Amino acid sequence: LALVVHFIACCFYAIGYAGKDDPKGSWVAVLDAEDASLAFRYVISYHWTMAQFTPAPCNYHPQNFQERLFAICVLFIGLVLFSSLLGTTTALLNQSRQQAYAKFREADLIRRFLSDNHVSLFVGTKVTHHLKSSRQRATLVCERDVPALKGLPKSVQIELHYEIYSRLLVHHALFFQLDMDHQETLADIAHTAVSESHYTRGDEPFIYRAPGLCMWCVRSGLLEYRKAGAPDPQVVGPQEALSEATLAVSWEHRGVLRATQASVALKVDGEKTRIVATKHASTFSFLKRYAKAIAKAIGDEYALCGEVDDLFQAFTTTYELAKGIEEIDQQDGVCSPPRAVSDADMQMDRGPDTLSTRRVDTNEEPLSPLSIPGRKGPSLFSSTFDDVIPLPNQSPSLP
């Protein structure tokens, strides 16, 4: 606004200076008679311009036709600018007042709730601290924050979700292979089964022994995973995944995942992924064999280490994935076609090492058989793949 006033003031002085020889006079002629300095003339012009935007008085006025015509134009401009400025300022004040009142009322309700329920000072402090930090804005704009995206055609939404989510999903061996050989299936999974969640510091995406429904892929930020009985947590950063087993077997989380800073993670719903698999005949057989392979890998890992947590990844490269599926085909007596494996596949690092390369905490209490994934019944790929995971009495290889 100050810059606009500056230009208008300069124009007003230029018009007055050009018409100072006009027979009807000019407002600049008065300043010439007083031998006013250039700085004083600029201040007078600036003051006159401000007076057109506000009810402030000014003792210098237009004298001739050109000056009065310019003054009329400035009045129209001032009417629009002043009304807009006044409306914007009023709206900001009202919005700030409403936000302040809402925060005050929320804080009052929290205090009354903690007081009425006799919550201890320690727990109450944790509650208020977490609620305060949760008001901080997430690092990325979430899709739900843009309601206009819901109006896009479904085909465009599928393309959008595939382009956004596949960049992160392909760091996992399964989705990398789907992107190479079954891109349509991966696009359907990205649209149907993948969602984005934002977390602030202290949020817990899942806790110990909670039912595992989704595979988690960290997009940004840092989280800490602490498995049961472990003295120190493990840091989970961007492009790392947790709970891969939820894509294939019934799962219970073996620890607690907590955000240490503002973070964004993708959730791949296991049940929806299995439903998508039934819609793509070309992918159905591959995913079914993948499910068998990951169930076998979980059993082998438990037999070797005595534990399987959420950081376990059955296959960290597409080469390992191909070898796992090949073993399943050999067990089933199926001759799978040879697959060319590139050096990039063999060297591709997809995440943290498997548990077989990590130290086993011998002080941790052993898991009961009912808590081992796959021991709750034929849950793999729901009723679609009910023949993939045998019942417990038919699977002596699984603990």
Side-chain angles (χ1 to χ4, degrees):
L1 180 61
L3 189 61
V4 172
V5 173
H6 165 78
F7 282 111
I8 294 178
C10 292
C11 292
F12 181 60
Y13 179 78
I15 293 175
Y17 186 82
K20 64 180 181 179
D21 296 331
D22 192 289
K24 295 184 179 180
S26 172
W27 74 276
V28 177
V30 180
L31 298 176
D32 290 340
E34 298 175 356
D35 195 21
S37 64
L38 183 62
F40 183 76
R41 296 167 187 249
Y42 174 77
V43 171
I44 294 298
S45 301
Y46 202 95
H47 180 202
W48 178 86
T49 305
M50 289 292 295
Q52 312 310 304
F53 296 165
T54 62
C58 182
N59 56 341
Y60 290 88
H61 305 284
Q63 301 294 327
N64 53 46
F65 174 78
Q66 291 81 2
E67 294 175 356
R68 293 188 182 277
L69 180 62
F70 180 76
I72 293 174
C73 296
V74 172
L75 286 174
F76 276 108
I77 297 175
L79 179 64
V80 174
L81 287 179
F82 181 74
S83 300
S84 176
L85 179 62
L86 181 63
T88 302
T89 305
T90 304
L92 289 175
L93 291 176
N94 290 335
Q95 184 179 5
S96 301
R97 187 181 296 110
Q98 292 175 359
Q99 291 177 350
Y101 176 76
K103 291 181 180 179
F104 173 79
R105 178 171 175 78
E106 181 182 4
D108 181 63
L109 289 175
I110 293 173
R111 286 193 296 267
R112 289 170 55 188
F113 172 81
L114 298 177
S115 176
D116 293 346
N117 291 275
H118 306 287
V119 178
S120 65
L121 178 62
F122 176 73
V123 177
T125 302
K126 292 180 65 176
V127 171
T128 54
H129 175 73
H130 177 75
L131 292 176
K132 182 179 179 180
S133 62
S134 65
R135 299 190 185 103
Q136 299 176 356
R137 184 184 178 276
T139 55
L140 297 176
V141 178
C142 189
E143 181 179 351
R144 64 173 177 267
D145 298 331
V146 189
L149 296 178
K150 296 180 180 179
L152 294 175
K154 185 176 180 179
S155 60
V156 179
Q157 291 184 13
I158 293 176
E159 292 180 5
L160 178 64
H161 291 154
Y162 168 76
E163 185 168 329
I164 294 175
Y165 299 146
S166 64
R167 297 172 184 171
L168 180 61
L169 293 178
V170 294
H171 289 276
H172 187 271
L174 170 65
F175 298 114
F176 180 86
Q177 193 63 49
L178 287 177
D179 191 44
M180 295 294 293
D181 301 335
H182 309 280
Q183 193 175 86
E184 183 181 352
T185 303
L186 180 59
D188 200 356
I189 291 175
H191 174 68
T192 306
V194 180
S195 60
E196 189 177 72
S197 297
H198 289 220
Y199 303 100
T200 57
R201 182 179 180 181
D203 284 348
E204 296 177 346
F206 61 75
I207 60 176
Y208 178 62
R209 289 220 182 258
L213 305 177
C214 302
M215 172 183 170
W216 303 78
C217 299
V218 181
R219 184 176 181 185
S220 65
L222 291 176
L223 301 97
E224 285 184 347
Y225 175 77
R226 184 189 295 273
K227 66 179 180 181
D232 299 317
Q234 294 177 272
V235 178
V236 183
Q239 300 181 1
E240 295 190 59
L242 301 95
S243 305
E244 176 191 8
T246 58
L247 300 178
V249 301
S250 180
W251 182 257
E252 280 185 350
H253 292 298
R254 310 312 306 157
V256 178
L257 183 65
R258 181 178 292 109
T260 59
Q261 58 181 245
S263 305
V264 181
L266 299 185
K267 297 191 299 182
V268 185
D269 190 282
E271 183 65 25
K272 292 181 179 179
T273 300
R274 296 189 282 270
I275 293 175
V276 170
T278 64
K279 301 178 181 178
H280 299 269
S282 61
T283 318
F284 184 82
S285 175
F286 169 74
L287 291 178
K288 186 173 183 178
R289 290 180 292 156
Y290 162 78
K292 287 185 178 183
I294 194 175
K296 180 180 181 299
I298 291 174
D300 294 344
E301 184 71 15
Y302 186 84
L304 179 64
C305 300
E307 61 177 356
V308 180
D309 64 14
D310 293 277
L311 293 177
F312 172 73
Q313 287 192 10
F315 313 107
T316 57
T317 66
T318 54
Y319 175 76
E320 294 179 2
L321 175 60
K323 293 291 292 183
I325 293 179
E326 183 180 353
E327 292 178 3
I328 294 299
D329 291 340
Q330 291 175 356
Q331 291 179 3
D332 296 343
V334 178
C335 295
S336 57
R339 176 185 178 274
V341 181
S342 64
D343 294 338
D345 290 340
M346 300 179 65
Q347 298 174 2
M348 182 177 59
D349 186 9
R350 289 302 180 191
D353 295 336
T354 58
L355 285 181
S356 59
T357 62
R358 295 203 299 266
R359 181 179 62 85
V360 179
D361 186 3
T362 56
N363 297 324
E364 182 180 353
E365 181 182 357
L367 304 179
S368 63
L370 291 179
S371 65
I372 301 302
R375 293 291 293 183
K376 298 192 226 176
S379 58
L380 184 60
F381 274 73
S382 187
S383 59
T384 306
F385 285 0
D386 53 2
D387 60 329
V388 177
I389 286 287
L391 291 175
N393 58 2
Q394 299 171 313
S395 179
S397 62
L398 287 179

